[in-house]
């Protein structure tokens, strides 16, 4: 086990009707003027927008609003949000939506207190040293952004999608009502399931030895998500399944599943190139294609860990005479599961050919300046080979 | 799954040599004058006291000190600590030790900012609304106090041991170096293992349905603790085992294993009467006696949960024709495990007879004013019957 720091200060309000307390909660913290930040029409369609606005008014909280966050949230909107916060002397940003809205809110909250251009934080050229507090009302179980230290935004001019971690990205509070995800469609639910599993699995497939406790917690989380995912896809209004996915989403990315080990989100790095290049690729769909390919590319270099995954998570019988077979079965079981919940597992399903593989690999390696670490270090050549396995 | 709030703001510094950063950490927070609070001689014996004092001096942090915390920490010392904080204008309390020292520090930190007598918080007659910040350097994996909202102290005049929960009991930071537990002897290590398991199991045996995710996390934690416990008892200097126990201790009691369910520390309530009455009874030793008795008393009222425990935690084959047999096997496996790590499982091993059963049951029910909830509500009569099974 490696040394680690663990810091999850976000106060979570979880359960039915909890979003009805948003005004009261903000009032308790003493904020008088906030930015209400959201995406497209879904929060208006389900009536959430009206409820939040009413609740803010009832509690005497003044607000300005900025909607229009898109999937793969854009830095251009972040710039607008940061300017708005400065102009209006906003004290807090309330994100109502999924991971894209929350990530956008996080970078707005940081950029509101500085003159540095927001993209500089994502590009790694600047580090935040303060931020407005961010509160969230979560409407999608997926990114874990509601408790995480990360934020990912896209530079639409450069076709680049970049994430950065900072303690200033941790929300002050997050309100999680699983009922607000009842109307999330099958595909987006599937994307969320994959994202949650991948936040756990990316940390699970580590090179660090002796992380039994963190492994066991990750395995338990995965088993619960696999089961709840099947149920939520079949019955979108199953409260318990939606609740399991929502809480698992937070725990999968708040560092609990990474405690004490080297963890690097390799498949996420590759996926960011994919959805950065092809804006129509949903993050979860990109991951469900990339993980099986990456796993097949590397598993022979850590057969024992892939066997553990197969046996403990997928209940596959260990083949002691041929461990590689067991390891591969675990990967195929994951691929089958992704397919069973309606997710793509090959690029061809999205009509993406190999023409951009080289360009994506170059961007992913920062034009040769970095290597993606893991069981097999991935440079440009290896990344192209992984993409080939995605075809 | 029930609605819940989750709030674990304590910043954790985990791993080798982390205690060497204590001065730097306190300095970063800006505290200039602290109370250094500790127990008996052990932190001096292992050289930790000298290291901490030197580190505080090196970082220009002024301190007053109060040692002498005993197991089952006494309210009389808390009173002295609170007065000292007031007199010396202390800004923060640093607890160096195990759960007793941390609990004592928490109640000092609350009492330092009020004129209410410390016992009033434990007795439930007053609720804290502020506290000095508490930092910890943990030297014992057991109570989970380093991340928890609870504090338990003993009123030696009344022979009462009482705990209370408050957000003001959450430490600001906790430094956890597993190496500092190398010198903890076999018995105290065993007590810690039982306490960690019981913090998880008390929450696990809930009446709330549909808590699959929290169950799976709890089961994973228990499996990791069971394995690490065996190793740490055999080889006290096994870093990985000590690290697993230490991190599990924090996670078992920071509310993660209770998220979304009714959880009531029933065996802890009974144990507090036992060690409140018999000061020589270590908390973990009391629990290792009470749990098997309590479980045998109630398991027929939730056979399915006890079966799940037996199958998933202890790898016992499910007897589908006779589930009660499986359930009981899980309880006996737990009892055997406690015995195997050197813990008592009967009161007779501690030479305690039945003479105080009635008095303890009266105190535990607050003289008939409350019932301990659970699968079987425990009033005075039932508590005596559980104690009878402990003989």
């Amino acid at each position: 086990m490696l040394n680690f720091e663990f810091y999850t200060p976000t106060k979570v309000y979880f359960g039915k009707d909890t979003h009805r307390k948003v005004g009261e909660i903000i009032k308790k913290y003493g904020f008088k003027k906030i930015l209400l930040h959201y995406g497209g029409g879904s929060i208006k369609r389900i009536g959430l927008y009206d409820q939040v606005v009413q609740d803010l008014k009832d509690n005497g909280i003044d607000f300005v609003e900025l909607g229009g966050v898109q999937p793969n949230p854009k830095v251009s909107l972040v710039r607008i949000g940061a300017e708005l916060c400065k102009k209006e002397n906003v004290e807090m940003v309330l994100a109502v939506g999924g991971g894209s809205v929350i990530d956008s809110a996080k970078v707005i909250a940081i950029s509101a207190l500085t003159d540095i251009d927001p993209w500089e934080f994502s590009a790694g050229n600047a580090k935040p040293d303060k931020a407005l507090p961010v509160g969230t009302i979560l409407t999608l179980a997926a990114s874990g952004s509601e408790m995480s230290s990360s934020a990912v935004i896209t530079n639409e001019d450069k076709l680049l999608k970049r994430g950065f971690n900072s303690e200033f990205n941790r929300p002050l509070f997050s309100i999680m009502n699983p009922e607000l995800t009842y109307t999330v469609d099958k595909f987006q639910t599937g994307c969320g399931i994959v994202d949650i599993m991948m936040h756990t699995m990316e940390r699970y497939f580590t090179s660090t030895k002796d992380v039994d406790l963190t492994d066991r917690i990750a395995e338990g989380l995965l088993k619960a998500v696999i089961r709840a995912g099947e149920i939520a896809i079949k019955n979108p209004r199953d409260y318990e399944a939606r609740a399991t996915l929502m809480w698992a989403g937070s725990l999968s990315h708040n560092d609990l599943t990474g405690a004490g080990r080297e963890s690097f989100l390799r498949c996420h790095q590759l996926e960011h190139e994919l959805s950065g290049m092809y804006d129509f690729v949903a993050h979860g769909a990109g991951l469900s294609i990339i993980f099986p390919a990456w796993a097949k590319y590397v598993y022979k270099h850590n057969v024992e860990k892939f066997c553990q995954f197969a046996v403990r998570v997928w209940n596959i019988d260990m083949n002691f005479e041929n461990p590689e077979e067991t390891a591969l079965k675990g990967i195929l079981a994951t691929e089958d599961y992704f397919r069973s919940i309606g997710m793509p597992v090959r690029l061809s399903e999205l009509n993406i050919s190999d023409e951009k593989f080289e360009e994506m690999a170059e961007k992913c390696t920062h034009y040769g300046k970095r290597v993606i670490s893991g069981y097999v270090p991935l440079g440009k050549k290896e990344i192209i080979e992984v993409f080939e396995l995605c075809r």
Side-chain angles (χ1 to χ4, degrees), chain A residues 197-209:
Chain A
M197 290 177 66
M198 286 307 300
H199 284 148
T200 308
M201 283 151 59
E202 297 247 43
R203 292 172 165 97
Y204 183 82
F205 290 107
T206 173
S207 298
T208 311
K209 300 282 180 194

Side-chain angles (χ1 to χ4, degrees), chain A residues 24 36 38 86-87 94 119 324 340 360 363:
Chain A
E24 181 193 319
L36 176 59
Y38 53 92
K86 288 177 188 175
K87 191 178 135 220
L94 177 65
W119 184 250
E324 282 193 10
S340 78
M360 291 192 291
K363 282 181 170 175

Side-chain angles (χ1 to χ4, degrees), chain A residues 1-295:
Chain A
M1 198 189 288
L2 303 178
N3 282 16
F4 64 93
E5 293 181 9
F6 186 79
Y7 183 53
T8 56
T10 305
K11 172 116 187 192
V12 171
Y13 299 87
F14 192 99
K16 291 175 186 174
D17 296 324
T18 45
H19 65 288
R20 296 284 197 158
K21 295 200 284 189
V22 64
E24 181 193 319
I25 291 165
I26 294 173
K27 199 172 170 180
K28 204 187 64 190
Y29 284 112
F31 303 120
K32 294 190 172 56
K33 176 87 174 261
I34 71 164
L35 172 67
L36 176 59
H37 195 41
Y38 53 92
S42 74
I43 71 160
K44 293 191 174 168
R45 215 158 41 235
I46 64 174
L48 177 59
Y49 173 84
D50 287 340
Q51 288 179 349
V52 170
V53 163
Q54 191 58 49
D55 204 52
L56 293 175
K57 285 179 181 166
D58 289 349
N59 284 279
I61 294 154
D62 194 11
F63 64 94
V64 288
E65 53 182 293
L66 179 65
V69 181
Q70 295 167 287
N72 299 326
K74 307 296 181 286
V75 70
S76 53
L77 193 73
V78 169
R79 290 186 183 118
I80 294 169
E83 286 311 310
L84 190 59
C85 288
K86 288 177 188 175
K87 191 178 135 220
E88 298 280 347
N89 293 314
V90 157
E91 296 166 353
M92 193 206 105
V93 183
L94 177 65
V96 183
S100 296
V101 175
I102 299 172
D103 282 7
S104 181
K106 287 176 174 182
V107 190
I108 287 174
I110 285 169
S111 305
L113 297 182
T114 170
D115 290 327
I116 297 170
D117 182 74
W119 184 250
E120 296 299 307
F121 299 108
S122 304
N125 300 328
K127 271 186 191 298
D129 59 2
K130 54 185 177 297
L132 292 177
V134 171
T136 86
I137 298 179
L138 187 63
T139 62
L140 188 68
S143 75
S145 188
E146 66 278 5
M147 272 188 103
S148 83
S149 66
S150 69
V152 181
I153 57 172
T154 291
N155 189 317
E156 57 269 50
D157 298 330
K158 300 185 178 175
L159 292 180
L160 283 177
K161 182 172 174 178
R162 291 280 177 268
F164 70 102
N165 291 292
S166 165
E167 289 313 328
F168 296 99
N169 275 337
R170 302 259 184 206
L172 178 65
F173 67 84
S174 283
I175 296 173
M176 307 187 200
N177 177 357
E179 295 173 309
L180 297 178
T181 64
Y182 281 173
T183 54
V184 176
D185 67 23
K186 245 174 232 229
F187 178 68
Q188 285 302 328
T189 300
C191 285
I193 294 165
V194 172
D195 202 17
I196 294 165
M197 290 177 66
M198 286 307 300
H199 284 148
T200 308
M201 283 151 59
E202 297 247 43
R203 292 172 165 97
Y204 183 82
F205 290 107
T206 173
S207 298
T208 311
K209 300 282 180 194
D210 286 311
V211 280
D212 188 38
L213 174 56
T214 304
D215 269 0
R216 296 238 179 230
I217 288 172
E219 288 153 1
L221 190 149
L222 286 170
K223 289 187 94 137
V225 167
I226 289 163
R227 180 169 165 271
E230 283 172 349
I231 297 169
I233 290 287
K234 279 191 202 124
N235 178 10
R237 301 181 76 84
D238 186 294
Y239 180 81
E240 301 301 340
R242 291 293 194 179
T244 298
L245 293 180
M246 190 171 256
W247 185 225
S250 304
L251 296 181
S252 68
H253 203 37
N254 77 352
D255 291 350
L256 179 68
T257 61
R261 55 186 171 200
E262 167 272 324
S263 56
F264 189 73
L265 306 192
R266 303 164 198 99
C267 297
H268 271 71
Q269 298 292 328
L270 271 60
E271 197 292 313
H272 287 177
E273 299 314 322
L274 192 59
S275 53
M277 182 69 73
Y278 300 98
D279 200 41
F280 63 87
V281 176
H283 179 52
L287 288 172
S288 65
I289 292 167
I290 286 168
F291 173 75
W294 172 80

